[in-house]
Structures are given as C-alpha cells and as structure tokens.
Amino acid sequence: MNKFYSEIEKILDYKFKNIKLLNEALTHSSIKNNNKQKRIFNYERLEFLGDRILGFIISDLIFKKFPNFQEGDLSILFQKYTNAKFLSNAAINLNLNKFVIVQKGDSLEKKDSIMSDLIESLIAAIYIDSNLENARLFI
C-alpha cells in the first residue's frame, strides 16, 4: 500500500478494505480516459450517494438532539451542516484538498463545490466499504 493512501486513511480514521473505492472517491471527473476500452471511474456516483447518507445522518442527529425544535428550526440547522461552504471548509481543515485527483493543470483543489463533493464521495465510499456506522463516525 502506498504512502498516499495510508496518509489519507489516517486522516479519515478509516482503513479501506477495497482501496479502489478510495481511489474512485478521490478522482475528479476532469481525469480523462485515454484508453476507450477501460472506463475511468470518478467520484460523481459516490457523491450522489454520499449526499443522501450525509443528509440522513445529519437529519437523524439533529432530530434526536433537539426534540423541541420545529421543522423550520431543524431545517436551518440541517442547512448549516450540509451546505457546500461548510463541507468545503471541513475538507480543507482535514487537508483532503491535497488528495483530490484532478487533470494536470487544473487547480480545483480548493473550490468549494469540489471539496464538498469530495467529502460526500468519501462518506459513500466508507459506507459501501463497510457500513452506515463507520460513515456516521466519519461525519
């Protein structure tokens, strides 16, 4: 296992059984496939699932933690912890921006939408590689 993967696993506090999932979660769609026979996977599908997992876990958490809050108050809290800026800041604070795999010449590593998508793709990768509880622990 190379240093690249062990370093990010240390940050995530999670060791992948299927390292291909981690690679897919880190790969931006700017990486083009030169070999037409082989499909290059990127994080877009994982990001789709991770967004839903994040939404469920945050909803569940705030619903239980704030039993007296009305729907509007819950929605405000939900938006605070699931918006692109918050997720991007979390990714950058964890130094995940240095692990995103982008096409040479692209400097997307600190763009809010890319960093928030990266967090969501990692959530899904952890979930698929193990279970909802490990995804919850990462979140």
Side-chain angles (χ1 to χ4, degrees), residues 63-80:
F63 184 83
K64 290 174 181 170
K65 188 169 178 146
F66 302 99
N68 297 324
F69 276 28
Q70 297 299 312
E71 186 269 342
D73 297 322
L74 294 171
S75 290
I76 289 167
L77 266 181
F78 177 84
Q79 288 303 319
K80 178 180 178 181

Side-chain angles (χ1 to χ4, degrees), residues 72-125:
D73 297 322
L74 294 171
S75 290
I76 289 167
L77 266 181
F78 177 84
Q79 288 303 319
K80 178 180 178 181
Y81 295 111
T82 59
N83 71 64
K85 187 67 177 167
F86 180 85
L87 296 175
S88 175
N89 286 338
I92 291 168
N93 287 337
L94 290 171
N95 290 316
L96 296 177
N97 53 301
K98 70 181 191 178
F99 296 98
V100 67
I101 302 164
V102 296
Q103 182 175 298
K104 274 194 188 330
D106 286 352
S107 56
L108 305 170
E109 297 85 13
K110 289 200 176 179
K111 191 173 177 193
D112 284 345
S113 63
I114 305 296
M115 290 298 94
S116 65
D117 289 351
L118 181 65
I119 288 281
E120 291 169 344
S121 68
L122 287 166
I123 290 168

Side-chain angles (χ1 to χ4, degrees), residues 6 10 15 17 30 34 41 52 56 60 64 84 91 93 99-100 103 113 124 126 138:
S6 57
K10 188 174 185 176
K15 181 152 179 53
K17 295 174 205 88
S30 66
N34 293 331
F41 289 95
R52 275 70 185 166
F56 168 72
D60 183 56
K64 290 174 181 170
N93 287 337
F99 296 98
V100 67
Q103 182 175 298
S113 63
I126 291 169
F138 171 63

